[in-house]
Amino acid sequence: MKLNKDTDILIIGLGVIGGGYAKALTKQGFHIRTITEREEDIEYALAQGMIESGRTTVDEDYVRAADLIIFALYPHTFVEWLERYQHLFKSGALITDVTGVKSTLVAQIQEMLRPDVEFIAAHPMAGRERSGVLFSDDGVFRGANYIVTPTEKNSPEAIGTCRELGWLLGFSSVCELTPAEHDRMIAFLSQLTHCIAITLMTANTDEGLARYTGDSFRDLTRIAKINDEMWSELFLLNRDALLEQMDAFMAEFQKLRTFIADGKREEMREMMRESTERRSLFDKK
Amino acid sequence: MKLNKDTDILIIGLGVIGGGYAKALTKQGFHIRTITEREEDIEYALAQGMIESGRTTVDEDYVRAADLIIFALYPHTFVEWLERYQHLFKSGALITDVTGVKSTLVAQIQEMLRPDVEFIAAHPMAGRERSGVLFSDDGVFRGANYIVTPTEKNSPEAIGTCRELGWLLGFSSVCELTPAEHDRMIAFLSQLTHCIAITLMTANTDEGLARYTGDSFRDLTRIAKINDEMWSELFLLNRDALLEQMDAFMAEFQKLRTFIADGKREEMREMMRESTERRSLFDKK
């Protein structure tokens, strides 16, 4: 499918990410319809010129007409939606998503989906601390990665369309990983860091600490303000990969603890030099 | 001692912090002399108008004349300097420091110091990722905390002078903690966070990860670029307090790990809600 202004695009779920997609695609000249829970979100999006129209119930005409459907829902809601409404899809429709974990979900959906409809999974790596369409912003896609996670069930054409979508949304990089590679990467870079931030906030409940906080501590715990409904679901969907990264982190942390306890200064310094050197790889280009 | 423009102030060690002090105090109209290792640092500081004069060797006249001496050296260098040169101090001189840990050092110095000279310890909580006078900047003191850590050996007058110095340097907050309280706080807010950042950088050496990094991971590891000489010394000087915080962090992290492994979603969500709520206390005012 070649995306053009006549492509009928439907976004299901107008939250912070769905809203960002709507903004970006409308700016590109597409006509965006949306189905979402709350009337006020549709009103807001209409007033902002982000969408062409919206419904708070599953409008059969919307679904039957759609060439490309983008699901921006929590994982379990996404699966439930498909179970209930996939009979409405136009034959040959392409569906994609924005979910933060892939292996279990992609396998489950490709298994249950009608054979005449294709699901190509993608993860826009542009998080926001706040949720809801009022905080949506297509500017966060600039400088960020859009990751397509195809399986052997995907066609080259669908992969191509999904990559094109990433560029149209304004991402600075579009790449492909297998669902398993994606989940290992996300377990380390995103889920482990959220686990650390949460732990830092709950491990020490001294009331007076906030008074002495500097920017380093604030930086490490910015993501400790967390959407518990979404993240608990994502952690459990990626349990094995996350536990593996947590264990690797703990083993290395324990190694540093032993160096400190035993006064092994040279070993500590070597670890710090390695850290300093490796961190340079992660500087913003 | 009431600080005024005739107070003879000597800064020993013109690095990133000593340099920031020199800049701030010169702007306030003080005449700043300095003793530091490298001629080029003195030349730089003179060219920038940060100091009145400087020496690369211990100039006896400088030391004998000084009313207030600020030590901005690594802890062990500070102690060695005192052993060697404290006989030069003017009787009644006040000395202070910028060291990041307090309990062991303050006790050691107050023990060894001449009885007619007073040491009042302070910690300017304004770190920089880079070291050296070229990166010094008195602007980092704005919005930051200056912590005075008196003991029962300190006079109210010296405590008052040291607090006054904190305000003159431009800190937004000046407060007092005992050395032990200070070290517990710093073990958690600063040393533990550096341990975490180092561990994140060395626990997973996958070459490809940098490509997918987002801002959260960069925020958590900004301080992973670390001066190994200074921080290994600070970790060991604060060993007991740091190990205590590391153990508390690991116990809490292990708790979260168990929730995830056992699929205890409600317990995870409760921890995330606690984290979210507590993080609000740490927002920049």
Side-chain angles (χ1 to χ4, degrees):
Chain A
M1 181 187 310
K2 182 79 194 151
L3 298 174
N4 63 50
K5 314 305 172 202
D6 297 325
T7 309
D8 197 312
I9 302 182
L10 174 61
I11 296 177
I12 316 258
L14 199 63
V16 67
I17 296 293
Y21 272 47
K23 260 186 206 173
L25 294 172
T26 296
K27 278 186 193 166
Q28 294 279 351
F30 291 91
H31 304 282
I32 302 298
R33 288 173 168 180
T34 183
I35 295 174
T36 198
E37 251 184 344
R38 305 191 319 162
E39 183 62 34
E40 63 221 73
D41 291 339
I42 293 171
E43 282 165 17
Y44 173 82
L46 283 170
Q48 297 284 315
M50 291 163 57
I51 58 171
E52 193 177 87
S53 63
R55 295 283 184 273
T56 56
T57 53
V58 178
D59 185 308
E60 298 203 1
D61 294 337
Y62 273 33
V63 183
R64 289 186 201 280
D67 301 305
L68 173 65
I69 307 177
I70 300 163
F71 284 87
L73 302 173
Y74 287 177
H76 77 276
T77 321
F78 179 21
V79 173
E80 286 164 17
W81 201 101
L82 289 179
E83 280 167 351
R84 194 151 164 207
Y85 299 112
Q86 66 163 321
H87 64 277
L88 298 175
F89 290 145
K90 175 197 289 192
S91 188
L94 187 64
I95 74 176
T96 188
D97 73 335
V98 304
T99 318
V101 296
K102 294 302 183 194
S103 301
T104 49
L105 191 75
V106 174
Q108 185 184 4
I109 290 176
Q110 288 189 335
E111 183 64 33
M112 71 187 272
L113 200 64
R114 276 169 43 189
D116 60 333
V117 170
E118 184 166 350
F119 171 50
I120 174 74
H123 180 194
M125 286 188 67
R128 303 281 295 173
E129 286 157 74
R130 309 294 294 270
S131 55
V133 69
L134 271 69
F135 296 100
S136 66
D137 171 17
D138 55 320
V140 301
F141 304 151
R142 275 194 303 274
N145 286 304
Y146 182 84
I147 304 180
V148 182
T149 59
T151 71
E152 74 285 356
K153 295 201 178 169
N154 284 116
S155 63
E157 199 202 347
I159 297 170
T161 304
C162 193
R163 295 184 66 113
E164 197 187 339
L165 178 64
W167 294 120
L168 284 169
L169 289 166
F171 282 87
S172 298
S173 155
V174 171
C175 53
E176 283 170 45
L177 288 175
T178 67
E181 286 167 344
H182 170 275
D183 286 356
R184 269 198 302 278
M185 178 273 289
I186 229 60
F188 178 72
L189 288 178
S190 168
Q191 297 192 324
L192 173 63
T193 49
H194 280 79
C195 288
I196 288 170
I198 296 163
T199 303
L200 269 174
M201 287 322 309
T202 58
N204 187 328
T205 55
D206 181 342
E207 286 294 320
L209 283 170
R211 180 167 178 197
Y212 305 106
T213 302
D215 287 337
S216 311
F217 187 80
R218 284 201 188 92
D219 280 351
L220 262 90
T221 55
R222 184 174 56 78
I223 54 177
K225 285 187 182 172
I226 187 166
N227 177 332
D228 60 290
E229 187 178 358
M230 184 175 77
W231 282 90
S232 59
E233 188 170 349
L234 294 176
F235 281 3
L236 291 177
L237 272 175
N238 201 27
R239 179 166 11 192
D240 293 345
L242 175 54
L243 291 178
E244 194 180 311
Q245 295 300 338
M246 289 179 89
D247 291 343
F249 175 83
M250 269 197 285
E252 186 77 3
F253 193 77
Q254 183 61 51
K255 193 174 93 180
L256 177 57
R257 189 207 182 279
T258 306
F259 291 160
I260 296 168
D262 297 349
K264 298 223 181 277
R265 186 156 180 207
E266 197 36 57
E267 285 83 348
M268 287 163 60
R269 292 186 63 176
E270 177 54 35
M271 193 168 164
M272 289 176 182
R273 285 191 294 264
E274 186 189 334
S275 160
T276 301
E277 192 183 338
R278 187 163 157 77
R279 180 57 179 76
S280 302
L281 300 176
F282 291 76
D283 285 345
K284 217 157 188 167
K285 296 298 181 294
Chain B
M1 184 189 307
K2 182 80 194 150
L3 297 174
N4 63 49
K5 312 306 171 203
D6 297 325
T7 309
D8 196 313
I9 301 181
L10 174 62
I11 296 177
I12 315 259
L14 198 63
V16 67
I17 297 292
Y21 272 47
K23 260 186 206 174
L25 294 172
T26 297
K27 279 186 193 167
Q28 294 278 353
F30 290 91
H31 305 282
I32 303 298
R33 288 172 166 179
T34 183
I35 296 174
T36 198
E37 252 185 343
R38 305 193 318 166
E39 182 62 34
E40 63 221 73
D41 290 339
I42 294 172
E43 282 165 18
Y44 173 83
L46 284 169
Q48 297 284 316
M50 291 164 58
I51 59 171
E52 192 176 87
S53 62
R55 295 284 184 273
T56 55
T57 53
V58 177
D59 185 308
E60 297 203 1
D61 294 338
Y62 273 33
V63 183
R64 288 186 201 281
D67 301 306
L68 172 66
I69 308 178
I70 299 163
F71 284 87
L73 302 173
Y74 288 177
H76 77 276
T77 321
F78 178 22
V79 173
E80 285 164 17
W81 200 102
L82 289 179
E83 279 166 350
R84 196 150 161 207
Y85 300 112
Q86 66 162 321
H87 64 278
L88 298 174
F89 289 145
K90 176 198 286 191
S91 189
L94 186 64
I95 74 175
T96 187
D97 73 336
V98 303
T99 318
V101 296
K102 294 302 183 194
S103 300
T104 49
L105 191 76
V106 174
Q108 184 185 5
I109 290 175
Q110 288 189 336
E111 184 65 33
M112 72 187 274
L113 199 65
R114 278 168 41 189
D116 60 334
V117 171
E118 183 166 351
F119 171 50
I120 173 76
H123 180 194
M125 284 189 68
R128 302 281 294 170
E129 286 157 76
R130 310 295 293 269
S131 55
V133 69
L134 270 71
F135 296 99
S136 67
D137 170 18
D138 56 320
V140 301
F141 304 152
R142 275 194 304 272
N145 285 304
Y146 183 83
I147 305 180
V148 182
T149 58
T151 71
E152 73 286 355
K153 294 199 177 168
N154 284 115
S155 64
E157 199 201 349
I159 296 170
T161 303
C162 193
R163 294 184 66 111
E164 196 187 339
L165 177 65
W167 293 120
L168 284 168
L169 289 165
F171 282 87
S172 298
S173 154
V174 171
C175 54
E176 284 172 44
L177 289 174
T178 66
E181 288 167 341
H182 169 275
D183 286 357
R184 269 197 302 276
M185 178 274 287
I186 227 64
F188 177 72
L189 288 178
S190 168
Q191 297 192 323
L192 173 63
T193 50
H194 280 78
C195 288
I196 288 169
I198 295 164
T199 302
L200 270 173
M201 287 322 308
T202 58
N204 187 329
T205 54
D206 181 342
E207 287 292 321
L209 283 170
R211 179 165 179 198
Y212 305 105
T213 302
D215 287 338
S216 310
F217 187 80
R218 285 203 187 91
D219 280 353
L220 262 89
T221 55
R222 185 175 55 79
I223 54 176
K225 285 187 182 173
I226 187 167
N227 176 332
D228 59 288
E229 186 178 359
M230 184 175 78
W231 283 90
S232 59
E233 187 170 349
L234 293 177
F235 282 3
L236 291 178
L237 272 174
N238 201 26
R239 179 166 10 193
D240 293 345
L242 175 54
L243 292 178
E244 195 180 311
Q245 296 298 339
M246 289 178 90
D247 291 343
F249 175 83
M250 270 195 284
E252 186 76 4
F253 193 76
Q254 182 61 52
K255 194 175 93 181
L256 177 57
R257 190 206 182 281
T258 306
F259 291 159
I260 296 168
D262 297 349
K264 297 222 182 277
R265 185 155 181 209
E266 196 35 56
E267 286 81 349
M268 286 163 61
R269 292 187 63 174
E270 177 55 35
M271 193 168 164
M272 289 176 181
R273 285 192 293 266
E274 186 188 335
S275 160
T276 302
E277 191 182 340
R278 186 162 158 78
R279 180 57 179 77
S280 302
L281 300 175
F282 290 78
D283 285 345
K284 216 157 190 168
K285 298 296 182 293

